[in-house]
Amino acid sequence: MEFDLVFIVVASLMALFSIYLIYLIKKGINGLGFLVVLYLSGSMVVMFASLPFFFSTQNKITEALVLMSNSFYMIIGLLAILGLVKKKIGNIRNNLTIFVFALLMAVSEALMGETFYSILTKSLGNPLLGVENYYYFGVMATEMLFTLVYFLKTINFPLREYLAILFPIMIFSPVIFPNNIKFVYDTIWVTASLMIVATIIIYETLYRERLKATQETMTSLEMMIIFTLMMAGEFVYFLIGSWYLFDFSMIAGMTWFIFRAISGPSKIKGNYTQNAKWTFSFITLTFIMEWFMGGVLDFATGIFAPSIPGFISSLSLGYVNPLSYYGLGLLFDLISIIGSVTGSVWFLIMMGTEMGMLAVFRIKNLKNTENKIRFILMISAYAIYTIFLPTFSPIASKVQYIPYMWSMGLGTLGPVSPSVLLTGIIGTYAVSAVLSFLFGARQICSVTCTAPLMYQGTFYDSLKTFNRSSKLGRKTLGSKLKPWFKLIVISVWSALLVAAIISYLNEIGILNFTIFGVDTTVFLYSFYFNVLWYIVFISIPFMGSYACLTQGWCSWGTFNQFIGSFGFFKLQVKDPTICLKCKTKDCARACPVGLTDMAGNFIKKGEFKSMKCVGVGDCVEACPYNNIMFHDVRHVIRNLFRRKIKYK
């Protein structure tokens, strides 16, 4: 109790002193005054860095070392300041010195916490242990709140919003009470939820400013780096029981917060629709952050067992010696580790929440009623078809026996057993083929599959510009199927068919062939849809949008596209002469699969039909004359009735 009172007093003084220094920086102090602020910030670091050594041993030697180190810093620092005064020090306020100040603030607070720890335990602990106590977070929260309120009017959008959302994420930290498991788990869910909201805000902010020549691209990337560090730190905690990386992320986040609040957004700017390398880096970093977040939520819900052995035992495909079969074991383990998280329900829920909100934001901008209905169906299908039915519903254990519920065609989450072959697999293909014939491949590729939800939200839909600007994206333009497209399709289907046959023969006892003990179709499903699909997705800046279907990587997509090409679905125009007069050809530019020959077909035939067209409907939205409309079995039936009525 006595120590608690002392700690409260010291922490309060520390907070007040730090706030005063931040206030001085805010007032625009420069030259000698700024140098004095840096000197005082450094003095706190030196003092709190040396005190733990004294309190952990408490002898004459350490006492002397503490006094000597602090005295040395004071004398040398003062002499340096006096020397610079004589030289008439000029402007030293710049991004580097402001960053040093912010770093000194964050480090001194962590060392204060380390000092408190050494007083209580008479030991040092790891260098970042000072972050793991409520005194540290009390000081940090006070400084961040003061900085946010005091700087609010001078910070412009979107940095203001970024700092505002980072504040609660850092405050609700699991290491405030690291030994309280319930508190740790509760704060993990809170911070994960807030981080999902923050990610949506970042993406939507970039999207709203997409027409500007420059945006806060680097500032957004910096924010995502902090999120990635935090999620990686929580993931590491579940693996080895250490908060070390997470503690570092707290110091990094605090440093960035103070630095950006004082110096403003990054001077490095750009436009994400024009910079493929930056966009790829940003999407990749987001995916890494989301992968760690999905893994953390899997640990928190018991899907993964804590510790490295527990995690390995929880992998969906298992784990083998990485050196087995000339290094193929390592490749297998990577697929198993990545796919175990991306294929987990909490990763899908988290991704669906983010992408679903981006899709919701886009609905209000849609003009066509049918497109609005499709968006609602698409979002609902993800929630019901992808999440609820196979995981939480009463029929979750039976979905493999129900037609149209068998996951993604031949590549499945289970072996091709006789009990599921007829209704589960063949039934799924039969039902899906009928639907594609009647309504087009849109019933899968624009509604039921997880891909459309991820491709058609505001931010990711705008990336279709890379269909025309990227080298590989340009090669997918138009309706003509390139030879390499056919090769990819044949290769994917051949692999799946061979795997399915082997799986079936294994199930009936004729063969006993597996991939490191994993059923062949189960392995290919995890590889194609839990690993390769995400590689294709994050490579949009280089491969173009919807590359899963424009390049033939998705077997389920190509099957439905092929059937749909013989069916009723097509695009029609009300008046081809309008297309002839149209100079902008907005329909072709808006197409997310790059069907550049669309306008020509409208002029010649009054309609457009292509295996690649999956009815996303962006062409309908983009047409400035409201001239394009969907056509499927509904219109065929309607026309038949009209003819009968007219005949009568």
Side-chain angles (χ1 to χ4, degrees):
M1 190 67 179
E2 181 181 350
F3 280 135
D4 286 341
L5 181 59
V6 173
F7 293 165
I8 291 172
V9 172
V10 173
S12 300
L13 292 174
M14 177 72 170
L16 291 173
F17 185 64
S18 299
I19 286 173
Y20 179 67
L21 295 182
I22 294 172
Y23 166 79
L24 291 176
I25 298 293
K26 166 64 179 173
K27 296 296 286 184
I29 194 170
N30 199 357
L32 179 62
F34 193 93
L35 187 63
V36 172
V37 168
L38 288 179
Y39 169 74
L40 294 174
S41 305
S43 67
M44 291 192 294
V45 172
V46 174
M47 178 180 67
F48 285 122
S50 59
L51 285 176
F53 289 96
F54 168 71
F55 288 114
S56 62
T57 54
Q58 289 190 357
N59 57 46
K60 296 295 183 182
I61 296 177
T62 54
E63 183 180 356
L65 290 174
V66 169
L67 292 173
M68 287 175 60
S69 61
N70 282 272
S71 300
F72 181 79
Y73 175 83
M74 291 177 61
I75 294 171
I76 296 299
L78 288 173
L79 289 176
I81 290 174
L82 290 173
L84 290 172
V85 169
K86 293 180 179 179
K87 295 182 179 180
K88 296 183 179 179
I89 183 173
N91 182 16
I92 63 168
R93 185 190 176 102
N94 53 49
N95 280 342
L96 177 59
T97 53
I98 292 173
F99 177 80
V100 170
F101 167 75
L103 180 62
L104 291 173
M105 287 287 97
V107 171
S108 64
E109 290 157 14
L111 291 173
M112 178 198 70
E114 171 68 11
T115 299
F116 294 168
Y117 174 84
S118 65
I119 292 173
L120 293 173
T121 64
K122 309 302 181 186
S123 61
L124 282 174
N126 72 63
L128 294 176
L129 193 61
V131 174
E132 300 174 22
N133 66 80
Y134 44 85
Y135 297 108
Y136 167 81
F137 280 92
V139 174
M140 185 187 77
T142 304
E143 290 180 20
M144 292 179 73
L145 183 60
F146 169 81
T147 303
L148 190 61
V149 173
Y150 189 59
F151 285 66
L152 192 62
K153 293 182 179 179
T154 60
I155 304 174
N156 296 325
F157 173 88
L159 179 59
R160 179 178 60 246
E161 281 68 21
Y162 288 178
L163 296 178
I165 193 64
L166 180 61
F167 175 68
I169 290 175
M170 293 190 63
I171 296 307
F172 288 101
S173 171
V175 297
I176 297 177
F177 301 99
N179 297 320
N180 186 326
I181 299 301
K182 185 181 184 305
F183 178 84
V184 168
Y185 277 59
D186 288 345
T187 51
I188 281 174
W189 282 104
V190 171
T191 52
S193 301
L194 289 171
M195 212 168 287
I196 290 172
V197 173
T199 303
I200 294 170
I201 291 174
I202 292 173
Y203 273 112
E204 192 62 12
T205 298
L206 290 171
Y207 173 76
R208 290 203 302 267
E209 297 187 337
R210 67 192 182 282
L211 299 180
K212 292 184 178 180
T214 59
Q215 307 161 318
E216 302 298 347
T217 49
M218 183 54 67
T219 306
S220 303
L221 186 66
E222 292 169 354
M223 184 90 158
M224 200 58 67
I225 290 172
I226 293 171
F227 290 166
T228 303
L229 281 173
M230 293 173 69
M231 282 294 112
E234 292 183 0
F235 189 85
V236 169
Y237 163 74
F238 281 107
L239 283 183
I240 62 176
S242 170
W243 289 110
Y244 199 91
L245 181 58
F246 186 85
D247 295 341
F248 174 78
S249 74
M250 288 289 100
I251 296 176
M254 180 62 177
T255 302
W256 184 83
F257 187 96
I258 296 176
F259 171 65
R260 282 291 165 225
I262 296 174
S263 66
S266 172
K267 299 297 186 293
I268 303 174
K269 301 179 184 295
N271 186 296
Y272 75 90
T273 62
Q274 301 172 9
N275 191 329
K277 292 181 179 178
W278 182 90
T279 307
F280 173 75
S281 301
F282 186 72
I283 297 175
T284 302
L285 189 63
T286 304
F287 172 75
I288 294 172
M289 183 272 289
E290 290 167 338
W291 187 89
F292 280 125
M293 184 187 294
V296 167
L297 297 181
D298 288 335
F299 277 119
T301 53
I303 295 175
F304 293 155
S307 77
I308 294 177
F311 176 66
I312 290 175
S313 67
S314 305
L315 296 177
S316 57
L317 299 182
Y319 186 83
V320 299
N321 184 346
L323 301 179
S324 57
Y325 288 89
Y326 306 101
L328 289 178
L330 176 61
L331 179 61
F332 174 87
D333 291 337
L334 287 175
I335 294 173
S336 182
I337 291 171
I338 296 172
S340 293
V341 174
T342 56
S344 69
V345 64
W346 286 107
F347 181 86
L348 292 174
I349 290 174
M350 178 263 301
M351 290 290 288
T353 302
E354 290 181 6
M355 304 302 178
M357 284 305 301
L358 296 180
V360 168
F361 292 150
R362 195 174 168 216
I363 290 178
K364 63 182 180 181
N365 297 322
L366 297 176
K367 298 178 294 183
N368 183 268
T369 302
E370 186 167 341
N371 251 346
K372 291 182 179 180
I373 294 172
R374 185 187 64 78
F375 258 72
I376 294 172
L377 289 174
M378 176 182 72
I379 297 168
S380 301
Y382 190 97
I384 298 171
Y385 184 78
T386 303
I387 304 297
F388 177 72
L389 288 177
T391 306
F392 300 107
S393 71
I395 63 169
S397 61
K398 304 294 182 182
V399 292
Q400 65 265 38
Y401 304 105
I402 304 173
Y404 203 67
M405 288 301 301
W406 192 241
S407 184
M408 304 299 280
L410 289 175
T412 64
L413 287 173
V416 184
S417 62
S419 59
V420 299
L421 180 60
L422 181 61
T423 58
I425 300 179
I426 297 177
T428 293
Y429 273 85
V431 172
S432 189
V434 170
L435 290 174
S436 288
F437 187 83
L438 297 176
F439 300 100
R442 65 192 306 212
Q443 59 96 13
I444 284 289
C445 297
S446 293
V447 177
T448 314
C449 181
T450 58
L453 185 74
M454 299 181 69
Y455 277 121
Q456 292 180 44
T458 51
F459 175 86
Y460 285 99
D461 175 71
S462 66
L463 299 186
K464 60 191 174 190
T465 182
F466 291 111
N467 288 346
R468 294 173 178 270
S469 61
S470 64
K471 290 183 180 180
L472 190 53
R474 286 198 298 268
K475 293 180 180 179
T476 67
L477 296 175
S479 297
K480 186 177 180 181
L481 302 181
K482 307 294 193 299
W484 55 266
F485 173 90
K486 299 176 183 178
L487 179 63
I488 292 175
V489 172
I490 292 172
S491 300
V492 170
W493 269 101
S494 297
L496 288 173
L497 286 170
V498 170
I501 292 171
I502 293 173
S503 177
Y504 182 78
L505 294 176
N506 282 339
E507 288 296 303
I508 62 177
I510 294 178
L511 282 181
N512 184 24
F513 179 84
T514 61
I515 300 175
F516 291 109
V518 177
D519 177 81
T520 49
T521 58
V522 173
F523 175 80
L524 280 183
Y525 175 91
S526 186
F527 172 67
Y528 279 135
F529 299 111
N530 294 340
V531 179
L532 181 61
W533 192 90
Y534 287 100
I535 293 175
V536 172
F537 178 70
I538 64 178
S539 300
I540 292 175
F542 303 124
M543 301 177 73
S545 182
Y546 258 114
C548 53
L549 65 85
T550 62
Q551 297 178 21
W553 295 107
C554 178
S555 60
W556 196 221
T558 54
F559 169 79
N560 286 281
Q561 287 173 270
F562 178 74
I563 299 297
S565 65
F566 296 101
F568 296 112
F569 178 76
K570 57 186 174 183
L571 297 171
Q572 287 185 328
V573 291
K574 301 170 186 176
D575 184 356
T577 60
I578 292 179
C579 299
L580 182 62
K581 298 175 183 178
C582 179
K583 296 180 179 180
T584 57
K585 302 297 184 288
D586 292 334
C587 57
R589 291 185 177 277
C591 179
V593 297
L595 295 174
T596 52
D597 53 336
M598 183 188 305
N601 280 268
F602 285 150
I603 295 171
K604 294 177 183 178
K605 304 176 182 178
E607 62 182 34
F608 178 70
K609 190 176 182 67
S610 170
M611 177 178 167
K612 286 185 179 180
C613 180
V614 291
V616 172
D618 285 357
C619 56
V620 178
E621 295 292 331
C623 178
Y625 309 104
N626 192 27
N627 195 38
I628 307 173
M629 58 184 179
F630 302 104
H631 180 279
D632 55 36
V633 67
R634 295 170 298 169
H635 304 83
V636 174
I637 295 173
R638 189 182 304 153
N639 291 335
L640 285 174
F641 273 109
R642 286 175 178 172
R643 287 173 188 171
K644 286 183 178 180
I645 294 172
K646 184 177 181 181
Y647 178 76
K648 290 179 179 180

